[in-house]
Amino acid sequence: MANELANAMTQPDVSYTGLLDPNWSNQNVGSDSALLAAPLPTADGRWIVLDQGRQWQCTAWVDGKACDDSEAMDSDAAARALLLGGEAIAKVHSRLAALPSPVIDRTPSEFASADHLPRCFRERMRRLHELNPWLSSGSLLRERLPGTALQWRALLERCVSVDGVGQRTIDRANDELPAYQELAHRLMAATELLVEQGTSVQSKLIAELAERLESSPQGWRQNWVLRDVHREHILFDESRETVNGIIDHDAMDWDCPVVDLARWAGSFPVQLEGLLSASRLELAVEGYNRISSANCGVELADGGQARSFLVKSPTPEELALGATLLRLNAWVGMANWVDWIGLRRRVFFSSPERLSSRISGLIDSVCHFC
């Protein structure tokens, strides 16, 4: 429908040529004159939209709404979402299990290295060791970061924006100052926590991850997993009783299945731990086990025939790993935001309110286990 859409939404007498796919039949697609950006086909069969110098990949629309902050703080609503999300993750894992395992090209000498370990172990241990140098000296870290809320805010106004750097008007920037001020205070609080607790927390988490690694001498079960199942990525219907879909699959890789359950559970507020009948991870696992405990027929989204599948429930060792990943994800995530914005000056297309909420949740989680 891209051709019809482009023709309908383009003002007359202005056209644009040079599509990414040279074989596309109609080359007349509106550019600056278009009222709606038209999707363009690529040579490899995808569709993209060009907007303000950026390329956005088109994917199938998923109707639904994620569990927002107010629902996530309501114990009943959060428990229901955690259970349903666990079920959805199990169904995704069952579909992904049908895919072939990755072919890893290694020489014989490389088999003795750590490369064969699940990605969650390799990445988290590597990142913890990367953080060691600048966490071991709190005074040095403070010198490299903005020292006041005003300096943080000035940096954030350049690095965090929904529309991108240089796109905000002065009036709009003034309207957003309270949000940037709040985000500045969140990053200052995260910095203080890293400086005050960095050395002790780092050593504890490294030792804990090493202990988990040794707890399964037979090796760790691995499968294709999503690896980025945040609360914003599982969409529910209006009744909040059904999962309509899971979005954002860019991080999918070969890893331990419990990685997805830990990421999903950890995206809910840690304050729920005192309000729920079970922990966040236990509720996600309970939902997962509802699917893993029975052969379930599922109608495939691509119109294929329903089939039966069986996924395995997490083992005690995997559950312990999931609990460790909850702590690791919170600590490393908090450190990453300070590093990405405060040290590297990376640019993020996000609202300051949303980013402030995420960092606040990470700080709460870290304080919970520190």
Side-chain angles (χ1 to χ4, degrees), residues 27 90 99 109 157 257 261 286 296 299 324 354:
Q27 300 291 315
L99 299 176
S109 62
E157 289 177 20
L261 293 171
E286 181 182 339
C296 298
E299 185 175 351
T324 295
R354 182 178 179 183

Side-chain angles (χ1 to χ4, degrees), residues 315-330:
T315 65
E317 293 79 12
E318 289 171 334
L319 293 177
L321 173 60
T324 295
L325 289 175
L326 278 177
R327 292 184 282 275
L328 277 166
N329 291 342

Side-chain angles (χ1 to χ4, degrees), residues 160-202:
V160 179
S161 171
V162 174
D163 297 333
V165 176
Q167 298 296 324
R168 301 189 309 277
T169 64
I170 295 177
D171 290 339
R172 182 180 172 194
N174 289 335
D175 291 340
E176 292 176 345
L177 285 181
Y180 285 109
Q181 187 77 10
E182 179 66 21
L183 180 54
H185 285 295
R186 290 287 178 263
L187 284 165
M188 290 181 67
T191 299
E192 287 304 307
L193 196 52
L194 290 168
V195 170
E196 298 297 329
Q197 302 288 339
T199 303
S200 61
V201 171
Q202 282 279 110

